[in-house]
Each structure stands twice: as structure tokens, then as C-alpha cells.
Amino acid sequence: MLARVIYSESRTEPYRGQVAVGAVVLNRLNSGQFPNSLRRVITQPLAFSVIDTGTFWLRPNASAYKTAREALRGKDPTGGCLYFFNPDKSTSLWIRKLKPRMKIGRHVFAKDLI
């Protein structure tokens, strides 16, 4: 599941950005602010647009599995971020409440709400 969300959310992003997406999913799992299972974190309503669009079901490539393994081993280029979005594509108003921390590729990563 982690490789699927990495692939569907960030397959066109740089490798570091793909690892970062995986780290955000795992940070949510470990935060206590989100559901307590990987499946529930990924499928939480409005959490990841790829669930709603159906692209979550794309078949991950080898790189997605490699980045998932890195994230599972604790690599986190975001330093604990819980959110990411692409400002060129995101239309949700709630992202305006995020305090951006860094940008990797086209994704902006945030740890907290403003």
C-alpha cells in the first residue's frame, strides 16, 4: 500500500520527493493525530486525492518499492512533516491553513497548521 501511494502521488517527482511522500504517510501513522493503521491513514477521507481519482490502483514500479523501503527504514527528508500538496494542482481550501516547511520537486511539505 505504501508503494502504491508513493507511486500514485509522486511518480513524476525526484527520488527524494518520492521518499518524502512515503515518510509523510508513515509520519501520519506514528503521530497519534491520524488513524492507527496504514490502510486507514491512506484511505482516510480527503487525505490523499489518489484514492478519490482511482490512481491509487496504478501498479507501482521498482522505484516506488525502493522508496517505500527507505521510508520504512526511517529515512525522512521532511523532518517529520504530516502534509504535502502540489500548489499548482491542489484546490482544497484547507491547504491554506498549512505552514509550509520545504519544497521538494513540485510538492510543498508542511508539519503544522498555521
Side-chain angles (χ1 to χ4, degrees), residues 2-112:
L2 185 58
R4 276 189 191 278
V5 78
I6 290 169
Y7 183 74
S8 58
E9 286 281 3
S10 63
R11 65 188 170 278
T12 62
E13 295 297 310
Y15 186 82
R16 183 171 178 253
Q18 293 177 34
V19 175
V21 165
V24 165
V25 174
L26 296 174
N27 291 343
R28 286 183 178 198
L29 179 62
N30 295 318
S31 77
Q33 298 175 45
F34 296 89
N36 61 0
S37 77
L38 185 60
R39 178 179 301 279
R40 290 181 61 213
V41 164
I42 291 170
T43 61
Q44 183 178 22
L46 306 176
F48 298 100
S49 62
V50 297
I51 298 297
D52 296 330
T53 64
T55 56
F56 174 78
W57 299 106
L58 293 173
R59 185 180 182 141
N61 62 12
S63 181
Y65 287 103
K66 183 177 177 185
T67 56
R69 284 190 295 274
E70 280 200 46
L72 286 165
R73 285 193 294 262
K75 182 148 183 140
D76 182 1
T78 74
C81 287
L82 297 172
Y83 307 95
F84 70 89
F85 63 96
N86 181 333
D88 296 330
K89 293 183 177 181
S90 297
T91 58
S92 298
L93 296 177
W94 70 269
I95 63 170
R96 295 182 187 158
K97 296 179 182 180
L98 294 175
K99 187 168 123 181
R101 191 172 204 192
M102 68 177 50
K103 186 173 184 181
I104 304 173
R106 289 179 295 253
H107 283 137
V108 172
F109 292 85
K111 188 170 188 176
D112 302 306

